[in-house]
Amino acid sequence: MRRSGSALLASLLVLGAPLVAQRAPRPTAFQQQHQAAVNRLIDAALADSAAWNRIAELGDRFGPRFSGTPNLEQAIDWIMAEMRRDGLDNVRGEPVMVPRWVRGEESAELLLPRWSKLPMLGLGGSIGTPAGGIIADVLVVSSFADLEAKAAQARGKIVLFDVPFTSYGQTVQYRSQGAIAAARAGAVASMIRSVGPFGMQTPHTGGMAYDSTVTRIAHFAITMEDAMMLHRMQDRGQPIRVRVQMAAQTLPDAPSRNVMGEIRGREFPNEVIVMGGHIDSWDVGTGATDDGGGVVIAWEAIRLMKKLGLQPRRTIRVVGWTNEENGLRGGNAYRDQHRGELADHILAIESDGGVFAPTGFGFSGSDSARAIVRQVAGMMARIGPIAIGASGGGADIGPIMAEGVPGMGHQVDGTRYFWYHHTNADTVDKLDPLEVARNVAAMAVMAYVIAEMPGRLPR
Ligand SMILES: [Zn+2]
């Protein structure tokens, strides 16, 4: 009767009938063993706004933390001093050479069919324009295919890619590859509609690429509103002319550091759970959501363990990786500098999607490990439903995951993240202190239980 039973179940679910009362599943022995410590961590995380305050102080004191700048290195010095004051173990900065791109003065204006200033941001890695700028007519296209269809009209123009946001992965192609495609069609510069789902006249910056076989042209972002307006002007048959001036340049690599502190394991100190985010940001805003918040919630998680006297069996190492945004040098350097320890890296957890309401963790690892991390997620129902997604990771832990370390990507409500991403509006006021505190709890519980359980998380 199994079949008819499940058919009945299916039909009841389709009808939306409540088959069983909403009740938490009976805790497993594993969960019972750790629940008391978990509750203490959650209580401590939710008790105050310490994490939000730290994100605010980091941004207010140092501003944007762009690779190669004194701001970033001073922020790293401050973090190390604060981590030592918190009593963390093995606080240090590990040297990494990072690229140094300098934006310089930049501006764009619409000359025809009417004059208007165009708020803009040069894209990271772009060359500058000649000192007097570039004045050229504009060709608006909707996609790479549309550019190919109109290639005969692109020569000598500034190409605008007016591509609406679908997903970040899809739309970002125009930021990263747009200058190559436009130059191949003979354009003298290229601009994109800022990559985001919603605008308030905020341009978004971000990384871009050149191809050694194609002329390098200046590449920049204008606001969503202006991109759509230029597109309407073209559709009406109006002439569009823009002047752009950019003093961007790439200087020699500069020294930076991956910054880290630990709570040392009491029984297996050489076994490491590594977690954190990237400490660098773009050169606009203060990198509150991308990714100061990711670093701070991981840091707060082990600060609370220290404060509560919860020293787990294994080491938890919190890392602020440097240069995620325009080079990934920090994540690669971590792999190289810790290659000998990677067999004992039990789990890597990265937070780089903002610190809005927590929703779970994407996990990439074995089925037996997945069953365990699901149980850990089940222990933090107090902070909201925490799901374990089918796969997860992150840019900074990617290099060590490629060497076999199980990886986890911290996940949050992503509704607003790309509103602020890589803009001057990425500041702490966009974050809610209680949501940030719930993220601290999620990170603390996940890392603590995996570090504390008697056996290693299986690979
Ligand atoms: Zn980021």
Side-chain angles (χ1 to χ4, degrees), residues 278 280 289-291 324-325 352-353 417 421-422:
H278 60 88
D280 67 307
T289 66
D290 186 14
D291 182 27
E324 188 271 348
E325 293 291 6
D352 188 16
Y417 181 70
H421 184 249
H422 300 179

Side-chain angles (χ1 to χ4, degrees), residues 246-322:
M246 291 168 60
Q249 56 179 322
T250 298
L251 301 179
D253 287 357
S256 184
R257 291 158 289 174
N258 287 329
V259 58
M260 60 196 81
E262 302 174 349
I263 181 164
R264 211 60 190 148
R266 70 174 193 276
E267 204 172 310
F268 310 113
N270 295 333
E271 297 184 9
V272 177
I273 285 81
V274 62
M275 69 172 175
H278 60 88
I279 189 54
D280 67 307
S281 74
W282 279 99
D283 58 336
V284 293
T286 59
T289 66
D290 186 14
D291 182 27
V295 174
V296 168
I297 59 169
W299 171 10
E300 282 291 303
I302 62 169
R303 183 183 72 83
L304 293 178
M305 291 174 210
K306 272 276 177 190
K307 188 178 155 194
L308 297 173
L310 288 171
Q311 186 185 9
R313 287 191 166 88
R314 295 175 189 78
T315 295
I316 303 174
R317 177 180 298 155
V318 166
V319 181
W321 285 279
T322 194

Side-chain angles (χ1 to χ4, degrees), residues 348-371:
I349 310 174
E350 179 165 333
S351 175
D352 188 16
V355 284
F356 301 99
T359 58
F361 297 88
F363 177 66
S364 293
S366 65
D367 289 345
S368 46
R370 176 176 302 277

